[in-house]
Amino acid sequence: VVQDFASRFAEARSHWGPLSVGLDPSGSLLEDWELGDTPDGLDRFADIVLEATVGAVGLVKPQSAFYERHGWRGLRTLQRLITGARQYGLLVIVDAKRGDIGNTNTAYAEAFLGHDAPFGADALTVHPYLGVDALEPFVALAYNSASCLFIVTRSTNPDGRLIQSARTSSGATVEERLLLEIGSLNSKFAPDRIGPVGAVVGPNITDSLLDLTAAHALFLAPGIGSQGATPADVARAFAACPDRVIPSASRSILSAGPDKQALRGAIQALADELTSKLAT
Amino acid sequence: VVQDFASRFAEARSHWGPLSVGLDPSGSLLEDWELGDTPDGLDRFADIVLEATVGAVGLVKPQSAFYERHGWRGLRTLQRLITGARQYGLLVIVDAKRGDIGNTNTAYAEAFLGHDAPFGADALTVHPYLGVDALEPFVALAYNSASCLFIVTRSTNPDGRLIQSARTSSGATVEERLLLEIGSLNSKFAPDRIGPVGAVVGPNITDSLLDLTAAHALFLAPGIGSQGATPADVARAFAACPDRVIPSASRSILSAGPDKQALRGAIQALADELTSKLAT
């Protein structure tokens, strides 16, 4: 029997802290690392980050876009990276922000969640624009495969406010309403514990804090470092549930590479700071 | 000099009508066609639909999810299908609904738009949840490569109404506001003509019609047939600009396969009906 994602995260957190390392091999990073902005260079990137993260952190978060831009070869690398990381015990969150309706969502879920999925990860990010109810195939497969779905709720960029703070018919904002719907799903699937549906919540929007605890959810907090949020910002935004947040940092860590010891040092330093700031 | 997408669509429309054929090889379709729900079966599907669509229709719209669920091999098929279809003069809209922020969007744009893109298509669908301004890398590359971006604005499913009809701070609904922003972008990039930023607008939401003409845009209208909208619904929803709409049908056409003549017959029948209903 596989433990649910929330339990696996709690275990990883107790060993390595809550940090997730974003594996975002942009073209300029591949050049900076002198690997070449090619499918072969991407393959070498995958080898390096696997070695640097295993035993240093509990979670990694590859961003699909940086693999897709190398075509099917890049996606072969992504598949290999996901499989390799999971074999070594890392939890893998694929940041792909998929989202559609009906059997298209079933197809996406089959691509990314569960034992038989080619890109089978521990968690996946999805878009809510077509409605949370439309995400049902993802939710069902996440639940059945003990994985997790992170619904993009509040983004780190100011341009996101327009839609995310719009008012739904009930008077709640879009992001408030999403958290309510996430709470309902989790109460249904996992009463009295953290459920399979999480939310992506940017930690840097400080003018309106969200009511997070009622969602019974894990939170993915992207953009630590390069996008401006500090560990202290994360602690403030998630003060109500510091043990439920997964802060993710990419560029601020990867810029220490390609030297593996330097990467492990950068990971360790940020993980320690987050562990201390998010102590419960 | 390559003509812009709107001109290429107008030319395709004059030959074959406005129909786009959705290439959505679900697992059950591959089984129904007795190809096998495998990467090899998907490859055979691609061969069949290429032969059936070339010379019968002007546009095809592969849905990425159905290729992704076969892993990197499925994406190799998608790459081959896109390249093959374009070589034969079909316009290819990749329905991938990507969307993120910053250099992640640059990476997605590099995957799907322009000469050097591995999945280089004539058009791509994207999600607006993180803001239209965040889509700037897509818009710039679509403009520079004479391709088109379709921003998901109004979906065909009732679950989509919650967010899409929420009120932004200006009082406009989210979907109204998106059309305004699309209109601004098109006025900037292509004054006095149809611009590079289009909108996905479900033709079956009849309780509130949108003001479409001010967007100076093309519209992708999904879900003709299986999702319940008829050519008459399309004509009604796009009465203000019948020559700017690209109706897309998938299951209702593919269910005529795998026989190529039967597929061509189904395409022809629906294309004729749409041409007649959307005559200007």
Side-chain angles (χ1 to χ4, degrees):
Chain A
V1 178
V2 180
Q3 282 187 307
D4 63 14
F5 180 82
S7 305
R8 284 181 282 148
F9 167 65
E11 200 171 301
R13 184 182 192 274
S14 71
H15 281 98
W16 291 288
L19 175 64
S20 159
V21 175
L23 304 181
D24 300 1
S26 66
S28 59
L29 186 91
L30 293 177
E31 296 290 1
D32 288 348
W33 284 22
E34 299 184 345
L35 302 172
D37 183 14
T38 63
D40 286 344
L42 187 72
D43 252 334
R44 287 190 288 269
F45 168 86
D47 294 336
I48 293 169
V49 294
L50 258 183
E51 277 196 58
T53 53
V54 170
V57 71
L59 304 95
V60 294
K61 179 174 81 64
Q63 165 54 254
S64 183
F66 297 107
Y67 303 83
E68 294 179 40
R69 68 187 277 281
H70 293 284
W72 65 266
R73 287 180 190 82
L75 287 146
R76 190 172 60 182
T77 302
L78 177 61
Q79 218 167 312
R80 185 171 68 80
L81 178 59
I82 294 169
T83 309
R86 296 190 76 198
Q87 275 171 353
Y88 283 109
L90 287 164
L91 296 177
V92 179
I93 303 168
V94 173
D95 195 355
K97 298 190 176 67
R98 298 301 193 258
D100 210 288
I101 63 171
N103 76 333
T104 304
N105 279 345
T106 306
Y108 275 133
E110 288 169 352
F112 291 102
L113 297 172
H115 271 299
D116 300 331
F119 304 103
D122 297 284
L124 174 71
T125 58
V126 293
H127 266 298
Y129 190 72
L130 307 182
V132 171
D133 287 346
L135 299 174
E136 192 275 333
F138 287 106
V139 175
L141 193 46
Y143 176 72
N144 288 326
S145 62
S147 43
C148 184
L149 199 67
F150 286 100
I151 298 178
V152 180
T153 299
R154 165 177 281 192
S155 61
T156 57
N157 64 322
D159 316 326
R161 305 308 301 147
L162 181 79
I163 294 182
Q164 294 157 32
S165 69
R167 296 260 162 213
T168 64
S169 52
S170 70
T173 64
V174 166
E175 55 192 5
E176 288 166 353
R177 179 62 184 258
L178 289 176
L179 287 179
L180 289 173
E181 297 198 24
I182 289 168
S184 297
L185 285 167
N186 285 333
S187 299
K188 178 179 147 197
F189 281 99
D192 307 319
R193 55 200 168 91
I194 305 295
V197 188
V200 179
V201 173
N204 59 324
I205 308 288
T206 50
D207 59 342
S208 68
L209 289 183
L210 293 166
D211 177 14
L212 300 170
T213 50
H216 306 293
L218 292 177
F219 299 99
L220 179 62
I224 313 305
S226 63
Q227 288 171 46
T230 65
D233 293 329
V234 179
R236 202 155 31 235
F238 297 90
C241 51
D243 55 341
R244 295 187 195 171
V245 59
I246 305 171
S248 185
S250 177
R251 267 174 285 175
S252 56
I253 287 172
L254 296 181
S255 62
D259 181 82
K260 286 165 205 164
Q261 285 313 313
L263 280 167
R264 291 175 83 93
I267 290 169
Q268 191 70 57
L270 184 55
D272 285 351
E273 193 182 350
L274 285 163
T275 298
S276 140
K277 289 277 194 290
L278 294 168
T280 51
Chain B
V1 178
V2 180
Q3 284 187 306
D4 64 13
F5 180 82
S7 305
R8 283 180 282 148
F9 167 65
E11 200 172 303
R13 185 182 191 274
S14 71
H15 281 100
W16 291 288
L19 176 64
S20 159
V21 175
L23 303 180
D24 300 1
S26 66
S28 59
L29 186 91
L30 293 177
E31 297 290 0
D32 288 348
W33 284 22
E34 298 183 346
L35 301 172
D37 183 14
T38 64
D40 286 343
L42 187 72
D43 253 333
R44 288 189 289 267
F45 168 86
D47 294 336
I48 293 170
V49 295
L50 259 183
E51 277 196 57
T53 52
V54 170
V57 72
L59 304 96
V60 293
K61 180 174 80 65
Q63 165 54 252
S64 183
F66 297 108
Y67 303 82
E68 294 179 40
R69 65 188 279 281
H70 293 284
W72 65 266
R73 288 181 189 81
L75 288 146
R76 190 173 60 182
T77 302
L78 177 61
Q79 219 168 311
R80 185 171 68 79
L81 178 59
I82 294 168
T83 308
R86 296 190 76 198
Q87 275 170 353
Y88 283 109
L90 287 164
L91 296 178
V92 179
I93 303 168
V94 173
D95 195 355
K97 296 191 177 66
R98 297 301 193 258
D100 210 287
I101 63 170
N103 75 334
T104 304
N105 280 344
T106 305
Y108 275 134
E110 290 169 352
F112 291 102
L113 296 173
H115 270 298
D116 300 331
F119 304 104
D122 297 283
L124 175 71
T125 58
V126 292
H127 265 298
Y129 190 72
L130 306 182
V132 171
D133 288 345
L135 299 174
E136 193 274 335
F138 287 107
V139 176
L141 193 46
Y143 176 71
N144 288 327
S145 62
S147 43
C148 184
L149 199 67
F150 286 101
I151 299 179
V152 180
T153 299
R154 166 177 279 192
S155 62
T156 57
N157 64 322
D159 315 327
R161 305 308 301 147
L162 181 79
I163 293 183
Q164 294 157 33
S165 68
R167 297 258 162 215
T168 64
S169 52
S170 71
T173 64
V174 165
E175 55 192 6
E176 288 166 353
R177 179 64 185 256
L178 288 177
L179 287 179
L180 290 173
E181 298 199 23
I182 289 169
S184 298
L185 285 168
N186 285 333
S187 299
K188 177 178 147 198
F189 281 99
D192 306 319
R193 55 200 168 90
I194 304 296
V197 188
V200 180
V201 173
N204 58 325
I205 308 287
T206 49
D207 59 341
S208 68
L209 289 184
L210 293 166
D211 177 15
L212 300 169
T213 51
H216 306 293
L218 292 177
F219 299 99
L220 179 63
I224 314 304
S226 63
Q227 287 171 46
T230 65
D233 293 329
V234 180
R236 201 155 31 235
F238 297 91
C241 51
D243 55 342
R244 295 188 196 170
V245 58
I246 304 172
S248 185
S250 177
R251 267 174 286 176
S252 56
I253 287 172
L254 296 181
S255 63
D259 180 82
K260 286 165 204 162
Q261 285 313 313
L263 280 167
R264 291 176 84 92
I267 290 169
Q268 192 69 58
L270 184 55
D272 285 351
E273 193 182 352
L274 284 163
T275 298
S276 141
K277 289 278 194 289
L278 294 168
T280 51

